[in-house]
Amino acid sequence: MTENAEHTESTGGAPAPRPDKELRALDRLTGSWRVTGGAEGTVVYRWMEGGFFLLQEVELEQYGQRVTGLEVIGREKPFGAEEPGEDIRSRFHDSQGNTFDYVYELDGDTLTIWAGEKGSPAYFRGTFDASGDTLAGAWVYPGGGGYDSVMTRTG
């Protein structure tokens, strides 16, 4: 099968959709990371087949509690929508039955993860080092209670 046929077979001859550049910029997160700071443990990022969703598997300890979960990161495209949404959104599901929504924004080497909606007073902001193997920053919460967080690539 030719490359072109491979991309058009399932769409009846129309070019298959491709993930956009802004979403693919999150590729720098793929791999295994050691997390230190206010939460300790490991996270693993990997692309779901097709490249439209980045999955994060979490195993952390925070405030003396074990936190495990899965986050799905990508653009929302509800049933019947012609185009995906403007923001890169995620939903995190944890082993306690909680769900948390975020908006991801990568500007150069600075990653901001907004809790809830873009512009929220609760967010993480971190900067990748020159090698791309360390992301250092902090979670900020309204009224205090935030914490520093460093992710170091392990694989």
Side-chain angles (χ1 to χ4, degrees):
M1 183 179 307
T2 67
E3 183 178 335
N4 192 35
E6 202 170 74
H7 295 298
T8 60
E9 185 177 291
S10 66
T11 59
R18 296 197 181 270
D20 63 86
K21 184 178 175 182
E22 189 177 344
L23 180 61
R24 291 303 302 183
L26 294 179
D27 193 51
R28 67 194 309 177
L29 288 168
T30 59
S32 302
W33 299 81
R34 170 90 177 114
V35 178
T36 58
E40 305 269 334
T42 60
V43 297
V44 176
Y45 290 89
R46 63 182 171 81
W47 288 104
M48 193 169 104
E49 185 175 343
F52 289 95
F53 297 98
L54 185 62
L55 306 177
Q56 179 187 199
E57 297 171 63
V58 173
E59 291 187 23
L60 300 171
E61 185 168 316
Q62 184 176 31
Y63 306 121
Q65 284 194 314
R66 183 168 184 255
V67 178
T68 61
L70 174 68
E71 183 176 22
V72 179
I73 306 160
R75 295 195 189 275
E76 290 181 346
K77 187 176 176 190
F79 183 75
E82 299 264 334
E83 297 293 327
E86 181 179 331
D87 292 330
I88 297 173
R89 297 184 170 275
S90 76
R91 175 158 287 171
F92 177 78
H93 306 265
D94 74 16
S95 57
Q96 304 284 318
N98 297 304
T99 57
F100 301 105
D101 294 329
Y102 299 97
V103 175
Y104 275 64
E105 189 174 38
L106 183 61
D107 183 12
D109 289 331
T110 302
L111 176 65
T112 304
I113 304 171
W114 303 99
E117 296 294 325
K118 190 184 285 187
S120 166
Y123 60 90
F124 168 83
R125 182 164 292 135
T127 303
F128 286 95
D129 69 357
S131 71
D133 291 332
T134 301
L135 175 64
W139 282 95
V140 175
Y141 299 128
Y147 60 89
D148 291 338
S149 181
V150 178
M151 288 194 339
T152 306
R153 188 182 305 277
T154 59

